[in-house]
């Protein structure tokens, strides 16, 4: 695809990964992060509008996602019972892709940890 646009948004949330780690591991207790998510959309701009996707539409969807995630305990969000970076990317993908088929990548970063993950959908793994 010749063009790619992105939309970033941030949210602050708490989680714990006790099911993934041994007792005493630093991730076993409840802790929080400032997360930065990025949605990437690719395609050929519509000849009439010049856009791949209207940013107002993207912003409206992002607002609903952010309202669910921001200042929440991620383990309590349906589908995020094990809220790893990988699962956060997939969770976002599953909520955006059906509404916006131009989505090609979801990235989530924890800037203070200098860690991140990107997901390009289930078809990319084949």
């Amino acid at each position: 695809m010749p063009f790619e646009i992105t939309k970033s948004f941030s949210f602050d949330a708490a989680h714990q990964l006790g099911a993934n780690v041994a007792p005493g591991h630093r991730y076993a207790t409840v802790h929080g992060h400032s997360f930065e998510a990025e949605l990437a959309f690719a395609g050929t701009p519509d000849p009439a509008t010049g856009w791949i996707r209207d940013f107002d539409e993207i912003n409206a969807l992002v607002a609903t996602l952010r309202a669910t995630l921001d200042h929440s305990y991620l383990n309590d969000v349906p589908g995020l019972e094990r809220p790893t970076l990988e699962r956060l990317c997939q969770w976002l993908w599953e909520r955006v892709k059906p509404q916006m088929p131009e989505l090609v990548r979801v990235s989530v970063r924890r800037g203070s940890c200098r860690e991140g993950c990107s997901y390009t959908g289930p078809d990319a793994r084949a």
Side-chain angles (χ1 to χ4, degrees), residues 60-111:
L61 182 54
V62 163
T64 63
L65 297 168
R66 192 171 184 281
T68 300
L69 299 171
D70 193 41
H71 287 84
S72 70
Y73 177 58
L74 297 177
N75 297 70
D76 288 343
V77 174
L80 287 177
E81 292 79 9
R82 289 182 127 173
T84 61
L85 285 173
E86 294 87 345
R87 186 64 193 121
L88 274 167
C89 286
Q90 186 178 23
W91 186 91
L92 289 165
W93 179 276
E94 291 167 353
R95 278 140 192 86
V96 176
K97 185 70 171 179
Q99 297 181 57
M100 298 185 175
E102 303 88 355
L103 182 69
V104 294
R105 185 180 65 258
V106 174
S107 298
V108 178
R109 288 178 287 287
R110 297 186 298 223

Side-chain angles (χ1 to χ4, degrees), residues 26-72:
R26 69 184 184 133
Y27 294 154
T29 60
V30 175
H31 60 283
H33 298 283
S34 291
F35 294 91
E36 181 78 18
E38 181 180 84
L39 307 175
F41 304 88
T44 301
D46 180 281
T49 65
W51 297 331
I52 295 168
R53 173 62 75 158
D54 183 344
F55 272 109
D56 279 348
E57 294 173 358
I58 296 169
N59 291 337
L61 182 54
V62 163
T64 63
L65 297 168
R66 192 171 184 281
T68 300
L69 299 171
D70 193 41
H71 287 84
S72 70

